[in-house]
Every structure is written in C-alpha cells, then in structure tokens.
Amino acid sequence: MDVSKATKDVSELGRIAAAVRGQIVTMSHEAETPHLGSSLSCTDIVTAAYWAVLRLDPRRPDAPDRDRFILSKGHAATALYTALCFRGFFPREILDNYNHNGSPLAEHPGPGSVPGVEAATGSLGHGLPIAVGLAMASRIRKIPYRVYALLSDGECNEGSVWEAAMMAPAQKLGNLCAIVDYNKWQATGRSNETLALAPLADKWRAFGWEVHDIDGHDMPTLVRLMDQLPDGSGKPVAIIANTVKGKGVSFMEDDNNWHYRIPTAEEVKAAYRELGLS
C-alpha cells in the first residue's frame, strides 16, 4: 500500500491508520520506549490531519503558507514521526533508527530534528501557547495558514493551557484549532480523578471557543471538523476527541499499564494480526 499520498477516502484512511499503529507498536518494541497507549489513542487524529486536512507539501516543509501542526502531547512522538515519514518528509532509514544513539528522532520531538517537526514538545502545556502565537503571526504577516494543536487530557492540568485558551478567543483566532485527545488516562491514574476536568467541553465553551464533543476515532467527523477551519464563527475551535488509550489492539485498550510497558516480540505479532497487517 502506498501511504505517501494524501486522501480523503475513509476506507483508505482506515488502512493508513492501521499501518501507522503497526509501525508505532514496532518502534516501541525495538527502541524499548514507553507511551505506546498514548500514541495509539491519537493515531486517528494524526492520520486525519496528515492525510486529509493539512495543506502541506513534503517537498516544501518550510513553506510560509503551510498549515502548522503542533504535537503538544510530545510523548506521542512515534505517531508524529510515523506520519511524517510515511507522507515523505524524511527517509525510512531515519525512522528505523528511532531513539538510537545519534538519531535525530528522540523520545520527544525537537524543532529541526527532521523536516515537518514544528516545535519542541513533551514538557506539557506549551503547545497551545505556541499555536496561539503562530495563529497571530498568520494575521500579522497576512499569510492565511491554519494552526492545529493536539493536546492530551492530562495536559489540561497545566495552567498555561488555560492562559492560552483565554488568549485565543480574545484575539478572535478563527484559524486555530485545539484537539484534546481525551482518553481519560494520564501516567498514573484516571484524568478526572487527578483533577476535575469534566465537564471538559463545557469548560472550553465557557472560555469562548466553538466546541465539538465527538468520538475521536470517527474518521469522517474528524476530517470534516478539522478541514472546515475557519468555520465562520470567528472563534477558535476546540475538538474534544473522546478516545480509547491503546486503540486498535484489544489487549492494550483502556489498560494504563501500556503507558509505560514495552511490548514483547510475540505481542507485536499479535498486534499486527489484530490490525490486519500480517
């Protein structure tokens, strides 16, 4: 399957998401890196973005008019790296050396590490403020690009997220979209048992955002909502994407052990069978 071409075909996007998930599981096994469940929960969002929504040309990764995508939940870097590689931003041999000594691909992304990575993220709470600045720069420079920031739900514990959430509607940043990967888990427990996030959609709405509370694995809805930015409301858009941690692999789904656990070779094979890749 050629996964380098952009598409809006839902069946094709589903096959691409499965391939991305398989690669993420392989990378976690081979590099012995954690955050597998967190990467799998946002795979459909990342697939919708890079194959069906973002106005990007892998041959011109620094084009001034490109859409910007900030992976604020930088611990899900394997999803971002896989998407960028599969779309042709950098060669496969770089992906295969993920997290090796000397590799440009570390556990958390850094700007300039490979083409297509826009910001250093991983220390949570910084991606949305960066995205607000980029959206304002679009207006100041009169270059009509769009800006997307993908946050984790646990990341919404950070005060800087809510400072940016107040700034964006004050500036009427209709070219900005925040997507919250709401998988209901963070590193050591349920997100809503750590801090009172719920009702999360109502909180974003109260801050002045146009809010959509959706199934975060519903590919047609993800593509439609992300692609209609700006939506004419004059407001920034927040998508509360209700997801399942570990989505796509039954023995990983909604099991927070996979925040840190590394899959064995046999578990990689089992995951591939479930994803229809073997």
Side-chain angles (χ1 to χ4, degrees), residues 144-204:
Y145 57 79
R146 305 175 296 178
V147 184
Y148 299 83
L150 175 56
L151 292 75
S152 69
D153 52 358
E155 183 176 8
C156 292
N157 294 357
E158 303 285 349
S160 53
V161 169
W162 299 105
E163 292 177 32
M166 288 187 282
M167 182 79 169
Q171 293 296 321
K172 299 180 173 56
L173 297 178
N175 61 336
L176 174 64
C177 177
I179 307 148
V180 180
D181 178 10
Y182 196 12
N183 63 33
K184 321 296 190 301
W185 284 106
Q186 47 194 278
T188 57
R190 288 287 186 188
S191 298
N192 278 294
E193 293 174 354
T194 304
L195 289 183
L197 292 181
L200 190 55
D202 288 345
K203 286 185 169 66
W204 285 87

